[in-house]
Every structure is written in C-alpha cells, then in structure tokens.
Amino acid sequence: MFCFNRSIPSDSGANFSKAGPFEAILITQWGFLITCGMWQNLFSSIRLGKPVDSSGQEQHTYQRTAFQRDYDRLIFSSPFRRLQNKTQVFPLPGSVFVHNRLTHSLETASVGRSLGNSVGNALADLNENREMGEEAVDFYRNQLGNVVAAACLAHDIGNPPFGHSGESAISQYFIHRPELANGLTQAEWKDLTHFEGNANAFRVMTHRFLGRREGGFCLTYSTLVSFIKYPCAADAMDKTRLSTKKYGFFQSEREKFDTLARHFEMRQLQHAPLAFARHPFVFLVEAADDICYRIIDLEDAHRLGIIDYTTAIGLFMELNMALKGMKNIDRIRKGLEQVGESDKNERLGYLRAVTINNLVAACVDAFMANRHSILEGRHEESLLDGIISEAKTVIGKLEHLSIEKIYNHPSSVEVEIAGYKVLGGLLAEFVPAVLNPESAYSRKLISLIPEQYHYHGTETYRRIQTAVDFVSGMTDLYAVEMYRKLTGVAG
C-alpha cells in the first residue's frame, strides 16, 4: 500500500516510518517529509447501503460524476429544502431579507468548492505526490471541489428549528426529565441530553426511515466522511480537542460511522468511548463554514442596522490589510470607486466578496503548510485559526463584536426563547405519546407524525427518536403553528 522514493541514497541517514493510518512518510536526517501517495486512499465513490461493482467504485457517467450526484441529491431533498425556513441567526424574514440556513448552506458550498479545487490542484502539483495514480490525480484536480461542496450543503441539514438554541431546547427537555433515561444505555441518554445537529445530520442522510431505501440518501463514502467534523460518540466529547468538541453520530448510526472509519483507516484516538481523528477533507468543509458565518453575519447585521457602516467597512478593510497588505487595499479602493457611494449595501457586498476570496487563499495556504499533520490525524487547529497572526487578531475582533452586538441582540435572544418554549412544548406532547401509544390521546398525536418517522418496535431509545426526528425536522414556522394548535394559543 505504501510507496517510497527510491532515489534517496542508502547512506542518507533516512529511515522509513508509518506515521499514521493516512500516510507513509520518509524521515531523513534533515527532518524532510516525503508523502508517498497515501492521498490516493482518501476518496471513494462507494455509496452507503448500495452494492458496488467488482472495482469497488461507482462508475462516472458522461453527464455527472458520483460526487456531483451527491450534490444534486442533497439539493433536491426535502430536508435541504426545509432549511429555507430555519433560522441562521436573525428572525425570519422581516422587511429586510437576511440569511437563513438554506442560503447559508448554498454560500458555504460555493466557498467549499473553491477551497476544494484550490487544495486539490495544489496537492496534485506537489513533487512528493508525483507517483500518485491517474485516478487520484483526476480526483484532486477535478472532483475534490465537488466533494467539499456536497458536504458543505449537508453541514446544517440536521439542525432543528430556531438555530443553535433549538439544540439546547431539545437537550434541556431531556435533562429535566431524568425518568426518561429508564431503559436507555448511558451513551443513548447522552445523545438526548446533549442533542447535536451534526449527529442529527448524519442520521438524516444515512438512516433508513420507514419506506425509504437502505443507506438513506445513498451518498458516497467521500461526501459522508468529509462532513463529519466530530468523529466521536456523545460520551467521548472532550472540549480540549478540536475533533471531539462536539460529536458526530448517534448510537443508532454508530455502525454506519464504523463502516466509514474502517474503509478510510481513520486514526482511532480511543476505543471506549469511541473517538477518531478527522478525515483531512473535513478541514476544508469547516473552513468554508467558518468563513461564511463570520463574514456574512456581519453583513446581515449591517443590513438590519445593528452594526453601523463605518464599523463594518473598517473591519473588512483591516482584515484585508492583514491578509494581503497595502497593495491589496489600493486595489480594493479602486474597486470601491466603481460602486456608487450612496449604496452602502453594495459597497459592503463588494468588500465581503474580496474578503472571502482572500480568506479562501489564506486557508488553502494553511492546509498545505500543515498537510502532513492533517494527513496523519494529528492536526488540532482549524484552518482559519492557522492563518497569519495579524489576520487572526482581526477575526478575533469580529468574533467579539458578533457575540456582543449580534448573537446577544434582542431579536436573536427572542428567537432563542421561542425555541425553548416551542420545542420544549412539542416534545412534552410527542415524547409521552410515543412511549405510551395505547391511550386515545396518544394515538391522535402519533397520527400527526409523518409515516416515515414511525417505529413499530419496543426499544425505548428508538421510540423517543421518533418524536425527536419529527420535531427536529420541522421548520420554524411549522413548529410554531403546531405548538399553537396543540396548546390552543391564538396566532
């Protein structure tokens, strides 16, 4: 499986070492690392739940590659479409249209494609990868961008209504009802008391809901593994490590995750509870998300009058100065001269585009500079945290401003409060109903749950998931309407 550069002389002081399951490296007396083709083992067009041909890979067609099909399946799916009415940060929508989960996911996919294309071509150009096979070269030059874009599309598909406060609302419901833990394992209970949108997205994409096919969306292994930012179980969470700050799969999908981990020979950090190192492509998906929400939340805040124009444009200019220097600022000023001074939104939009482009370039540089530790599963820093220190300082200012002015703005807090009230109220109705389905009232409530979520077995964990699947899949509007109908609250 591993290959080595045979041109290195035998008296060079070199020694061969397998540094990790992703890569074989050659370590010389000068500390030089030579990658020997293990990048070609990081992708696969095998689809979850679907038989494969003798080659183990899905064959591309003239119209679309396997990874482009992944993107299309996600775009046309109902869970993705429902993101249109799920909150990103601000309430949906007022007189000024701001980003929702759908527009955020589309923009993240666009940035992710750029990151994947740039990194893929940079990897294919490396002298250390000159022995890479033809299929691998084609993948990195032409397909990595499609894989990252598809994974970016999916990254929020498991988020419940009302933004991240919806996750907390679901968790708090179970935390305050410890009696529901009867019949559950400790790991299953933690899935519920620490509900996680990332794990729920993996379930949405891979679980065989009633009447659906094996493998869920039947996405390729590459897209699925690129999506899993936190490759660990809920009981393995450890906030001191980047890859275990949250978790990436419920106990019900552990076997599916194991399939991916085994296929890609992911580095196992610990066995019990289960935790792995990230797949390298995850860093690109994470970077796309980080870039978009940090930059675009600021643009939305300006449109809503929460952040003034001078503050917003000042931060963008400072960040671009840190990333590219004075020559870049001169080009930006010339670009701004072509935009009417009276249209501040358009001027800020131009700056946003330039800033995203420069951050993409910085993250590509960070990935390539750290590619060996990323490949070995040792890298514990996001790409955005790995850019030059001056730019990182400005991003720190952006984060501080976001926390102070945006995420704690009354309109955002109102969304969080609504999330707690509405989702807590819905779970208080549906969870008891699925656990005690014999009563007439329970039967009526269960009849409101779409057939795809129904479970006809006796496992307590699976029964509870029926209610959680239903509630977490709702849009903001549907959740509010359902809550009002069930509680008799007037609209």
Side-chain angles (χ1 to χ4, degrees), residues 20-292:
F22 288 129
E23 178 186 31
I25 61 175
L26 175 65
I27 305 177
T28 73
Q29 61 187 5
W30 302 283
F32 183 59
L33 302 179
I34 299 180
T35 304
C36 292
M38 287 310 296
W39 289 99
Q40 64 190 0
N41 296 320
L42 295 183
F43 63 93
S44 171
S45 60
I46 295 174
R47 293 193 177 279
L48 187 70
K50 189 174 181 180
V52 296
D53 63 19
S54 57
S55 70
Q57 302 286 333
E58 178 177 312
Q59 299 303 307
H60 299 330
T61 67
Y62 177 76
Q63 292 92 348
R64 296 177 299 165
T65 67
F67 312 113
Q68 289 170 330
R69 291 191 195 100
D70 284 349
Y71 187 95
D72 294 346
R73 288 183 184 191
L74 288 159
I75 280 281
F76 284 93
S77 70
S78 294
F80 182 77
R81 192 161 54 249
R82 286 197 292 270
L83 293 177
Q84 182 177 0
N85 193 246
K86 287 194 177 185
T87 300
Q88 175 66 11
V89 174
F90 301 108
L92 299 171
S95 56
V96 178
F97 191 82
V98 294
H99 288 81
N100 53 44
R101 290 283 172 189
L102 182 70
T103 51
H104 168 69
S105 297
L106 289 167
E107 289 169 347
T108 301
S110 179
V111 173
R113 181 180 288 108
S114 296
L115 283 163
N117 287 339
S118 297
V119 166
N121 279 282
L123 288 171
D125 287 340
L126 285 174
N127 185 54
E128 65 195 49
N129 287 336
R130 63 185 177 275
E131 295 184 32
M132 189 182 285
E134 182 179 342
E135 181 185 13
V137 171
D138 176 71
F139 172 81
Y140 285 106
R141 290 206 184 280
N142 302 309
Q143 299 305 324
L144 179 56
N146 292 325
V147 170
V148 177
C152 287
L153 275 187
H155 84 281
D156 273 348
I157 208 167
N159 280 31
F162 305 106
H164 289 296
S165 65
E167 294 173 308
S168 298
I170 293 172
S171 301
Q172 289 299 315
Y173 170 81
F174 290 103
I175 288 171
H176 291 111
R177 290 164 180 80
E179 68 278 4
L180 294 176
N182 294 331
L184 303 182
T185 67
Q186 184 177 356
E188 290 170 343
W189 181 238
K190 197 152 189 179
D191 284 350
L192 299 173
T193 57
H194 295 74
F195 181 84
E196 173 57 52
N198 288 284
N200 197 46
F202 188 65
R203 177 173 172 80
V204 168
M205 291 188 294
T206 64
H207 180 64
R208 186 179 187 179
F209 290 98
L210 197 62
R212 305 302 167 89
R213 59 182 171 176
E214 187 65 41
F217 286 15
C218 296
L219 301 178
T220 63
Y221 284 9
S222 291
T223 295
L224 289 172
V225 79
S226 301
F227 157 84
I228 306 172
K229 287 173 64 176
Y230 308 104
C232 68
D235 52 351
M237 282 191 295
D238 178 359
K239 294 189 180 297
T240 64
R241 273 194 312 228
L242 178 67
S243 58
T244 58
K245 286 172 61 177
K246 299 180 182 180
Y247 68 100
F249 57 89
F250 296 133
Q251 290 301 303
S252 50
E253 281 69 56
R254 175 170 174 160
E255 185 177 332
K256 295 181 178 69
F257 173 79
D258 285 344
T259 298
L260 298 174
R262 287 194 305 271
H263 180 85
F264 290 108
E265 298 180 354
M266 293 168 66
R267 179 187 170 207
Q268 190 163 349
L269 302 176
Q270 60 190 49
H271 178 69
L274 190 64
F276 286 81
R278 288 174 161 185
H279 187 284
F281 300 165
V282 170
F283 287 93
L284 301 175
V285 176
E286 178 182 56
D289 185 28
D290 288 348
I291 290 170
C292 284

Side-chain angles (χ1 to χ4, degrees), residues 306-360:
I306 296 172
I307 302 295
D308 63 82
Y309 174 74
T310 302
T311 298
I313 202 169
L315 282 168
F316 279 152
M317 293 293 278
E318 186 179 359
L319 181 53
N320 282 286
M321 177 69 179
L323 287 167
K324 292 290 186 178
M326 197 63 210
K327 287 185 178 180
N328 182 56
I329 296 300
D330 291 340
R331 286 195 296 270
I332 290 174
R333 285 172 177 158
K334 289 179 181 178
L336 285 172
E337 289 174 2
Q338 300 178 38
V339 182
E341 290 188 11
S342 60
D343 194 340
K344 293 181 178 179
N345 286 336
E346 186 64 25
R347 291 171 70 83
L348 205 60
Y350 168 78
L351 266 178
R352 176 252 302 145
V354 172
T355 304
I356 289 176
N357 185 64
N358 287 335
L359 283 172
V360 166

